[in-house]
Amino acid sequence: MLEQSNTGGCLTTSYVMRRFLNEKHSLAKAAIIWIAISSLSVLALAAFEYRSGVQELSDKASATETLLAERLAQHDAHLSALGAVVRMSPAEPSPSIQGLSENILTRYPRIVDIATFRLDAGAARMVRYGQAGGAEAKDMRLLDELPKLSNVGDIAARAVVGEHAYDLFKLVEPGRILRLRIDANALLDGDKTPQDYSTKLTLNNETLALHGATQSAILAATASIIMTSHTQPLEMEIRRKFGVGELVPLRLAIPLIAGLAAITWLAVSYQETQAERRRQEKRAALLKQEATLAHAGRVNALGEMASGIAHELAQPVAAMLSQSQAARRALNMGRQDILEKALDANIREAKRAGDILGRMRAYISGAPADIRMVPLSEAIAEAMRLIEGDIKARGVAVDMIVPLGLPAVPIDVVSFQQVIHNLVRNAADAVAGCSSPLITLEARRERDGVAILVADNGPGIETGSLHRIFEPFFTTKADGMGLGLPLSSRLIERMDGSLEAHNDNGATFIIRLPLGELS
Ligand code: ADP
């Protein structure tokens, strides 16, 4: 049993190893699938976030365009209103212009300055309005600051270099120009620029205002606005930057990746379970097939077994015959004691014959051997007791070497007795005619079990027959059946043991049996 349990241990170990490797394999497979799916999902998520970011940018650009258009229209309206008041005020500084200007500057903080220019032969007189201290007049020599406006009503816009502002000039009447100065930062509400945005406002390729994010980003999108106002042809660029955290927000990415890990693991486990189920089914089908074949083998061996039964029963029947004859003689002689002995022997032989038949039936039907733990020395003594009378009668000496303390072994007692009986009887056959016929029966403990040797000092197994003696019906005896050894071999195999033979000053047969789990 030790060998079996060792084998079982190996099988268990290799099964565990296989499972471990399988599981490792599944883990690696799940990890690869998970990484691939997660990467694709993260990319898809980033694409989705980018798309919504671009949409947001586009919405913001159109809102900004609407707001700008509204404000530019207001500037045109202020120019018209102020122009009308200027025309009605031939003398300057004019309180009417000052009043309206104060009003405009207060209500529209992005308009930072209002001024009029009266042109006069290469010079101009500038009057600034709307300041708290009142209108302020100033003479100017250089007129390059003023645009050339030829027709009354003409408007021109010009960037004020270095001041984030632009001027709007209008020729309100010949020789009189009105100017509005607009703060570009205030026009854009630059301080309200969201964190990820940056804006750039230009007028005739001059940058008026720059706002917003300066940090680097892995991705950006830009929207351009070109104002259709013919008086203030402003252009604007709105840029939206995308950081990694924005494209792949952790609050979405972590549950997504974790969810994908769980789904992948479940899918791979399910696949593995299905594969394992298919393997089990295949194994079960194979086992069934093997069992069918084994049964067929046993049925085929039926003829062989029938001969075996006859062979095995020959001994007890012969013994019963001679004991019965002895009993009859004892009866005639009135020897009660011999009669009783003979009848006891008959009962014993009849029981043995019954046991042999029972085992044969069990063997043919595939029933398991009746394995029990039996002390080896007891099993050997019992087997020898059954045969020793016959051996002694043939004048053969038996040398028993059975040390004390041999372990119990898992055997089918009747089968074991049959095997010992076959081997000893063969040995007795072999030594018949020898000068000092001797059979040695030795039992010993070995590393993984026990060995029982049945040796004789006969001529040994014929050269060339050694490999055939376990074949059914192989015999070199005139009255032999050639079934004793094949049957013995089978019976020993059913006890997980083995039977082998070799020549060594005669023939030696070795039965090897494993130790039981409890030995
Ligand atoms: P049988 O005894 O009917 O011949 P077995 O199967 O028991 O059938 O034995 C097969 C053959 O093995 C024998 O015929 C004999 O040639 C050989 N054999 C068995 N035991 C011995 C032995 N102890 N010494 C020599 N030959 C043996």
Side-chain angles (χ1 to χ4, degrees):
M1 277 295 165
L2 184 66
E3 199 178 82
Q4 196 183 29
S5 86
N6 273 349
T7 321
C10 284
L11 280 176
T12 313
T13 316
S14 73
Y15 178 72
V16 169
M17 277 298 287
R18 224 177 29 240
R19 273 214 63 125
F20 175 69
L21 288 175
N22 273 350
E23 269 169 28
K24 251 180 97 173
H25 176 73
S26 311
L27 262 176
K29 197 165 139 190
I32 291 168
I33 296 174
W34 173 61
I35 289 169
I37 296 180
S38 297
S39 310
L40 285 176
S41 308
V42 165
L43 273 177
L45 178 66
F48 177 78
E49 292 292 321
Y50 179 74
R51 233 181 96 91
S52 22
V54 168
Q55 184 58 49
E56 186 190 278
L57 171 71
S58 149
D59 292 347
K60 191 170 169 52
S62 44
T64 307
E65 188 175 5
T66 310
L67 183 74
L68 262 181
E70 205 176 284
R71 291 183 174 178
L72 299 191
Q74 282 170 354
H75 302 158
D76 289 340
H78 294 321
L79 275 180
S80 302
L82 277 164
V85 176
V86 169
R87 272 196 303 277
M88 287 187 292
S89 314
E92 287 193 72
S94 149
S96 323
I97 302 173
Q98 170 67 8
L100 180 57
S101 297
E102 269 180 32
N103 198 357
I104 291 173
L105 291 187
T106 316
R107 289 187 55 198
Y108 300 94
R110 67 176 179 276
I111 301 173
V112 288
D113 194 58
I114 296 171
T116 60
F117 298 86
R118 191 182 290 274
L119 310 176
D120 186 17
R125 186 157 189 260
M126 178 175 88
V127 183
R128 289 185 68 204
Y129 289 99
Q131 308 305 317
E136 182 187 307
K138 187 181 167 192
D139 286 323
M140 294 172 69
R141 283 190 178 282
L142 295 169
L143 295 181
D144 290 349
E145 283 181 35
L146 298 173
K148 303 272 178 287
L149 299 168
S150 25
N151 301 316
V152 171
D154 280 358
I155 297 175
R158 188 191 273 177
V160 184
V161 180
E163 286 206 30
H164 304 295
Y166 70 95
D167 288 339
L168 260 182
F169 298 94
K170 182 173 183 178
L171 186 65
V172 289
E173 61 184 21
R176 290 185 82 189
I177 291 176
L178 172 66
R179 186 191 77 185
L180 243 62
R181 179 159 289 179
I182 294 140
D183 179 354
N185 285 339
L187 177 70
L188 280 178
D189 295 334
D191 52 332
K192 290 184 193 155
T193 309
Q195 210 193 355
D196 302 321
Y197 284 82
S198 64
T199 54
K200 183 180 172 189
L201 187 69
T202 53
L203 176 67
N204 301 329
N205 296 327
E206 289 280 352
T207 302
L208 297 177
L210 268 176
H211 291 288
T214 49
Q215 79 270 23
S216 61
I218 54 164
L219 208 60
T222 307
S224 295
I225 302 168
I226 298 173
M227 299 310 295
T228 49
S229 160
H230 67 278
T231 58
Q232 299 153 81
L234 294 174
E235 287 185 19
M236 191 168 175
E237 204 179 87
I238 306 182
R239 201 171 148 80
R240 192 198 195 294
K241 295 180 176 182
F242 296 89
V244 181
E246 198 185 351
L247 289 173
V248 187
L250 290 185
R251 73 192 148 77
L252 294 178
I254 288 174
L256 177 74
I257 290 173
L260 283 174
I263 291 170
T264 311
W265 177 243
L266 281 176
V268 170
S269 301
Y270 176 75
Q271 204 190 26
E272 289 295 321
T273 315
Q274 291 293 93
E276 181 60 28
R277 196 175 55 81
R278 280 196 295 277
R279 277 197 291 275
Q280 300 274 17
E281 281 172 4
K282 213 168 159 185
R283 207 174 301 145
L286 272 174
L287 282 175
K288 202 173 159 194
Q289 208 175 345
E290 259 175 39
T292 312
L293 279 174
H295 186 72
R298 278 196 300 276
V299 171
N300 283 342
L302 204 61
E304 181 191 321
M305 286 305 116
S307 310
I309 291 167
H311 174 82
E312 295 303 327
L313 289 182
Q315 287 294 333
V317 168
M320 277 192 279
L321 177 66
S322 74
Q323 291 297 341
S324 299
Q325 285 165 344
R328 179 174 259 271
R329 278 197 300 276
L331 193 63
N332 289 340
M333 287 157 60
R335 290 286 301 271
Q336 183 77 14
D337 54 335
I338 298 176
L339 181 61
E340 271 178 21
K341 230 172 150 185
L343 286 176
D344 281 347
N346 265 358
I347 291 168
R348 215 167 41 239
E349 292 300 334
K351 274 187 181 166
R352 205 168 100 75
D355 277 344
I356 291 169
L357 285 173
R359 291 289 156 237
M360 287 291 184
R361 200 167 48 240
Y363 186 79
I364 292 163
S365 68
D370 183 14
I371 305 282
R372 286 165 203 210
M373 293 300 289
V374 180
L376 183 60
S377 41
E378 262 180 39
I380 293 173
E382 180 63 16
M384 285 309 287
R385 206 178 53 73
L386 290 168
I387 197 173
E388 67 191 350
D390 183 34
I391 300 299
K392 274 187 192 151
R394 292 166 76 167
V396 179
V398 178
D399 193 2
M400 298 267 287
I401 309 170
V402 182
L404 291 173
L406 281 173
V409 282
I411 53 168
D412 180 319
V413 176
V414 177
S415 299
F416 182 76
Q417 286 172 358
Q418 269 178 257
V419 174
I420 296 292
H421 183 279
N422 282 343
L423 297 181
V424 173
R425 198 204 58 215
N426 273 350
D429 287 347
V431 296
C434 287
S435 53
S436 26
L438 174 67
I439 297 174
T440 308
L441 198 148
E442 183 188 345
R444 63 183 182 219
R445 174 82 199 250
E446 290 199 325
R447 197 166 59 89
D448 292 334
V450 293
I452 302 110
L453 288 80
V454 180
D456 62 67
N457 61 351
I461 300 154
E462 280 177 20
T463 327
S465 302
L466 201 54
H467 65 285
R468 297 195 58 201
I469 55 173
F470 291 105
E471 288 174 12
F473 306 112
F474 175 80
T475 180
T476 55
K477 297 173 193 167
D479 58 345
M481 291 181 74
L483 282 171
L485 289 180
L487 196 63
S488 299
S489 177
R490 274 169 184 260
L491 293 174
I492 291 296
E493 275 168 21
R494 292 184 65 196
M495 295 178 229
D496 288 328
S498 63
L499 176 63
E500 62 186 67
H502 57 86
N503 281 325
D504 179 19
N505 293 327
T508 301
F509 286 81
I510 306 173
I511 303 167
R512 285 206 163 81
L513 290 170
L515 291 176
E517 273 152 8
L518 302 173
S519 299

